[in-house]
């Protein structure tokens, strides 16, 4: 009776355990509790099999639920990253792995890179990139086959690299399962599940992870198709708007073209173009020439040209806007002729901007026509300059008479200036100089240099002013040598020769971009003229002294200058320097050590004095 009661109780207890979903360990303990009751051990084995099947059914149910949820996420796809994160999280949950992650292929770089991780703690691992065929993931991406390992660090089947092993080691991963994400026959990525301890992945787990990978591939493909559809729809809408706007702009452009063309054909001037353009664009127009002189204005207050905006417009070839003012450079090829400004229209449409830019072309044409007339007169002036400087004594009276016909009295005192610029043409330099000199002047090109004859009596002041004004107008360094005053053709030709020597001396002294007369350069300018390697001369003569001063913070060069200025008198030198005579003696000894004992002989002393003077001039 007791055995039956015990067996019945064991059977009932087994049923209760199965019903409550008790773990396998508790079911197995019933056999020990029931002793050797008949049938109990077999019943326990049967209960364990039932429990196993129930666990499989529950796991399968959870897997199917996850797949259905993933499919539902795909149907409601709004955020691709959110769907991928959900798939990776479910993969980690269903496979009970420590971490799960998804990589995508980069065909151009032939690599696969990390896209989504779940359960990862290593920043190095999360930024890992694998080459095709490298490591487990690279092999999956290359072969389109799933791979699993229970001990990746020691698995010889995979091509280990330092970068991959470092990332895997920092994450602490041991067991890894990877399955491919495929679209058609193309692998676009890999889905992984991994543990930080050894583990064998079953065929069912490989199948489950493969299903999730297929869903992830569908999510990526759906997102791509959705983005392409949205992009195509947006492009279609933009095309419709563009066609509509283009039609309207075409009608306005046709009207503007007719009006501006009519002006050109009727011989209109710049003021008429400015007035017509202001009416078309509904704003104020101001036109300046290359020197910043206002040429025309309509519907606007006086406006100073912006050199910065003009430079931007020249560089881009388009109109530019700042502080509500549009500016477009007027160009003849690469040559700037001026600028045109539009006020009162800060919000200029693309079509109106093109109209504004076309108007600058019409203005450029009118300015070129006007300049062609002026160039005829300039040519006559240039021919007079050439004849004046080439053969001044052949027919002095005839030269003076030709000058008077051009409004220039060559018998009156004139200054002669020669201008030089490396980065601009001689024609442009001549045109820029015309507004800077009086009308009773001559300007032209002779011997590949721009020559100017200007009434006046101060050549130094003229050279400095022309160098500064021309440099500002042209945006580059302009060097000007000046001479005079002189009257009559022979004297003017002699002054031109002196101005040329002054220009060469300025360039030799490294004073490019400045202007002067020969009197302002002293004997150095007269002596050096064409010498170009001044820095090398200074280094070769007094380089050791200059180096010593620079290293030690001493004043040996100043002491040398004072010594020569005082005629070699030590007492006067120490007074000039405000130091003790012994200090001067010590400095002289140091100088002798640096330059050699013969530094005071007349020939070397002259060289040293010249080098000191050049050092002071060149800076």
């Amino acid at each position: 009776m007791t055995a039956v009661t015990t067996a019945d109780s064991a059977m009932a207890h087994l049923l209760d355990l199965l019903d409550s979903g008790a773990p396998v360990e508790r079911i197995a303990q019933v056999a020990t509790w029931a002793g050797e009751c008949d049938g109990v051990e077999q019943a326990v084995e049967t209960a364990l099999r039932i429990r196993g099947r129930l666990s499989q059914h529950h796991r399968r149910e959870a897997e199917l639920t996850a797949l259905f949820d993933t499919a539902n996420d795909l149907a409601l796809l709004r955020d691709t990253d959110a769907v991928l994160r959900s798939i990776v999280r479910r993969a980690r949950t269903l496979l009970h792995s420590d971490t799960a992650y998804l990589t995508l292929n980069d065909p151009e770089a032939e690599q696969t890179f990390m896209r989504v991780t779940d359960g990862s703690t290593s920043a190095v691992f999360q930024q890992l990139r694998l080459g095709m065929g490298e490591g487990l993931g690279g092999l999956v991406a290359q072969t389109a086959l799933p791979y699993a390992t229970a001990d990746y660090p020691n698995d010889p089947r995979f091509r280990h690299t330092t970068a991959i092993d470092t990332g895997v080691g920092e994450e602490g991963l041991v067991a890894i399962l990877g399955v491919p994400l495929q679209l058609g026959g193309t692998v676009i990525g890999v889905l992984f599940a991994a543990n930080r301890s050894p583990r064998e992945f079953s065929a069912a787990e490989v199948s489950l992870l493969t299903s999730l990978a297929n869903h992830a591939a569908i999510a990526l493909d759906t997102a791509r198709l959705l983005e392409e559809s949205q992009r195509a729809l947006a492009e279609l809408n933009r095309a419709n708007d563009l066609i509509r706007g283009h039609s309207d702009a075409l009608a306005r452009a046709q009207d503007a073209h007719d009006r501006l063309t009519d002006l050109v054909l009727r011989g209109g001037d710049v003021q008429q173009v400015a007035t017509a353009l202001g009416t078309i664009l509904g704003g104020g127009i101001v036109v300046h020439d290359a020197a910043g002189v206002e040429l025309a204005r309509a519907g606007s207050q006086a406006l100073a040209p912006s050199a910065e905006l003009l430079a931007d417009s020249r560089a881009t070839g388009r109109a530019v806007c700042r502080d509500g003012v549009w500016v477009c450079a007027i160009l003849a090829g690469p040559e700037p002729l001026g600028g045109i400004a539009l006020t009162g229209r800060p919000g200029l449409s693309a079509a109106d901007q093109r109209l504004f830019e076309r108007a600058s072309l019409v203005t450029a044409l009118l300015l070129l026509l006007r300049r062609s007339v002026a160039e005829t007169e300039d040519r006559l002036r240039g021919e007079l300059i050439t004849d004046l400087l080439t053969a001044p004594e052949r027919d002095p009276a005839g030269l003076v008479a030709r000058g008077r016909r051009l409004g220039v009295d060559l018998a009156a005192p004139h200054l002669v200036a020669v201008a030089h610029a490396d980065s601009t043409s001689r024609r442009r330099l001549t045109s820029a100089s015309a507004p800077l000199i009086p009308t009773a002047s001559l300007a032209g090109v002779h011997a590949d240099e721009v020559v100017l004859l200007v009434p006046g009596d101060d050549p130094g002041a003229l050279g400095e002013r022309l160098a500064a004004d021309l440099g500002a107008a042209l945006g580059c360094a302009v060097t000007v040598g000046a001479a005079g005053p002189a009257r009559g053709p022979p004297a003017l030709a002699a002054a031109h020769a002196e101005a040329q020597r002054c220009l060469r001396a300025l360039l030799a002294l490294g004073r490019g971009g400045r202007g002067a007369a020969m009197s302002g350069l002293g004997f150095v300018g007269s002596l050096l003229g064409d010498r170009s390697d001044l820095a090398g001369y200074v280094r070769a003569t007094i380089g050791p002294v200059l180096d010593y001063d620079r290293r030690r913070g001493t004043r040996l060069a100043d002491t040398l200058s004072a010594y020569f200025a005082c005629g070699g008198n030590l007492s006067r030198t120490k007074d000039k320097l405000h130091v003790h005579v012994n200090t001067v003696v010590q400095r002289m000894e140091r100088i002798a050590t640096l330059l050699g004992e013969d530094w005071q002989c007349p020939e070397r002393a002259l060289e040293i004095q010249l080098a000191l003077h050049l050092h002071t001039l060149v800076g």
Side-chain angles (χ1 to χ4, degrees):
M1 184 67 179
T2 302
V4 174
T5 302
T6 302
D8 291 343
S9 299
M11 298 298 183
H13 188 52
L14 282 173
L15 292 175
D16 289 339
L17 291 174
L18 288 173
D19 181 59
S20 63
V24 174
E25 292 80 5
R26 291 187 60 187
I27 296 176
Q29 289 175 356
V30 174
T32 304
W33 169 69
E36 298 180 358
C37 294
D38 294 339
V40 172
E41 185 174 352
Q42 184 177 359
V44 169
E45 293 177 358
T46 302
L48 289 173
R49 288 197 299 273
I50 294 172
R51 179 69 180 82
R53 290 194 182 94
L54 288 175
S55 297
Q56 290 178 356
H57 288 315
H58 290 157
R59 185 170 62 253
R60 186 58 180 164
E61 181 181 1
E63 293 171 357
L64 290 174
T65 300
L67 291 176
F68 283 133
D69 290 342
T70 301
N72 186 60
D73 289 344
L74 292 176
L76 301 174
L77 180 64
R78 292 293 182 272
D79 185 348
T80 306
D81 287 340
V83 174
L84 294 179
R85 284 194 297 270
S86 176
I87 290 173
V88 172
R89 185 168 57 253
R90 285 171 184 153
R92 180 188 177 198
T93 302
L94 293 175
L95 270 70
H96 304 288
S97 60
D98 294 330
T99 182
Y101 49 98
L102 183 147
T103 63
L104 293 180
N105 288 356
D106 183 353
E108 293 184 0
E110 296 186 349
Q111 292 180 327
T112 181
F113 62 92
M114 201 72 68
R115 174 69 181 271
V116 181
T117 64
D118 189 74
S120 172
T121 60
S122 168
V124 173
F125 180 76
Q126 294 170 15
Q127 298 173 5
L128 196 60
R129 296 182 74 95
L130 296 78
M132 293 298 180
E134 295 177 356
L136 187 149
L139 191 59
V140 173
Q142 185 182 52
T143 63
L145 297 173
Y147 279 89
T149 177
D151 186 8
Y152 175 80
N154 300 308
D155 196 328
R157 292 179 299 160
F158 308 108
R159 181 148 54 95
H160 294 264
T161 67
T162 302
I164 297 175
D165 288 353
T166 300
V168 171
E170 187 166 316
E171 190 63 52
L173 300 182
V174 177
I176 303 176
L177 167 62
V179 298
L181 277 71
Q182 297 189 78
L183 283 176
T186 304
V187 178
I188 62 173
V190 181
L191 180 62
F192 298 85
N195 266 31
R196 296 186 175 91
S197 58
R199 169 183 175 177
E200 296 287 346
F201 291 96
S202 66
E205 291 171 328
V206 175
S207 177
L208 173 60
L209 195 62
T210 300
S211 297
L212 290 171
N214 292 336
H215 281 79
I218 294 172
L220 290 168
D221 192 46
T222 303
R224 178 184 61 81
L225 293 174
L226 181 60
E227 290 173 358
E228 288 179 354
S229 299
Q230 291 173 343
R231 186 164 55 249
L233 180 60
E235 289 176 356
L236 181 60
N237 290 333
R238 285 196 298 270
N240 287 332
D241 294 339
L242 182 62
I243 292 172
R244 189 181 307 110
H246 182 70
S247 178
D248 295 339
L250 188 60
R252 293 187 70 248
Q254 184 64 44
D255 177 65
H257 180 269
D258 291 343
R259 296 182 63 177
L260 294 177
T261 302
D262 184 62
L263 278 176
V264 174
L265 294 177
R266 289 190 294 108
D269 57 17
V270 178
Q271 180 60 51
Q272 291 175 308
V273 171
T275 302
L277 184 60
T279 303
I280 294 170
L281 296 178
I285 299 294
V286 182
V287 182
H288 295 92
D289 65 9
V293 177
E294 183 180 296
L295 300 178
R297 176 157 44 99
S300 174
Q301 296 180 347
L303 182 68
S306 170
E308 184 178 356
L309 289 181
L310 283 173
D312 291 343
S313 179
R314 285 196 297 268
T316 61
R318 303 296 302 272
V320 295
C321 181
R322 180 179 298 171
D323 299 330
V325 178
W326 286 88
V327 173
C328 187
I330 303 173
L331 301 172
E335 180 184 357
L337 301 179
I340 182 169
L342 171 65
T343 62
R345 285 293 308 276
L348 202 61
S349 66
D352 284 349
Q353 181 180 342
R354 287 193 293 273
L355 282 176
F356 181 50
E357 291 166 353
R358 290 192 188 100
S360 73
L361 297 177
V362 175
T363 308
L365 177 59
L366 293 178
L367 291 179
L368 284 174
L369 291 174
R370 191 176 73 171
R371 190 174 73 176
S372 66
V373 176
E375 285 179 347
T376 301
E377 183 177 347
D378 291 341
R379 179 175 56 81
L380 296 175
R381 291 173 176 268
E383 291 174 354
L384 174 58
I385 288 179
T386 299
D387 292 343
L388 174 66
L389 301 179
T390 303
E393 298 180 353
R394 182 180 301 167
D395 184 11
L399 294 173
V400 173
R402 288 168 58 186
R404 284 177 180 158
R405 286 195 294 269
L406 294 174
V408 180
D409 184 6
L410 297 180
H414 280 75
L415 302 175
V416 181
V418 180
H420 171 84
D422 289 324
S423 56
T424 190
S425 67
R426 302 296 182 266
R427 176 180 296 179
R428 186 181 173 201
L429 185 56
T430 304
S431 299
S433 64
L436 304 178
I437 57 179
T439 55
S441 303
L442 284 178
V445 177
H446 175 70
D448 204 31
E449 298 289 355
V450 175
V451 180
L452 299 95
L453 273 67
V454 183
D457 56 7
D458 189 344
L462 176 67
E464 292 177 3
R465 180 177 66 82
L466 286 177
D469 293 348
L470 287 171
L474 298 173
C476 64
V478 178
T479 310
V480 179
R487 65 176 71 211
L492 289 171
H496 168 257
E498 181 180 339
Q500 280 187 312
R501 289 194 299 273
C502 180
L503 174 64
R504 289 194 295 268
L506 284 171
L507 295 175
L509 289 169
R511 291 191 176 186
R514 300 178 63 178
M518 210 54 142
S519 59
L521 299 180
F523 77 94
V524 174
S526 301
L527 289 177
L528 294 182
D530 295 326
R531 185 175 186 127
S532 57
D533 189 19
L534 300 181
Y537 175 79
V538 172
R539 294 290 310 166
T541 307
I542 58 170
V545 172
L546 298 178
D547 292 339
Y548 189 92
D549 281 348
R550 185 173 59 255
R551 290 194 309 267
R552 303 293 183 89
T554 55
R555 297 181 58 192
L556 296 183
D558 292 344
T559 301
L560 265 177
S561 297
Y563 177 76
F564 285 121
C566 294
N569 187 295
L570 294 179
S571 178
R572 289 167 55 196
T573 302
K574 63 95 174 175
D575 292 337
K576 185 177 181 64
L577 295 174
H578 304 290
V579 297
H580 195 275
V581 68
N582 289 341
T583 302
V584 177
V585 172
Q586 292 171 0
R587 291 181 182 179
M588 291 295 122
E589 291 173 352
R590 174 59 61 185
I591 290 170
T593 302
L594 295 171
L595 298 182
E597 294 295 333
D598 64 337
W599 71 273
Q600 293 189 75
C601 71
E603 189 173 313
R604 286 214 57 197
L606 178 60
E607 291 284 335
I608 293 171
Q609 290 182 69
L610 181 58
L612 287 170
H613 193 53
L614 281 175
H615 178 62
T616 302
L617 286 177
V618 176

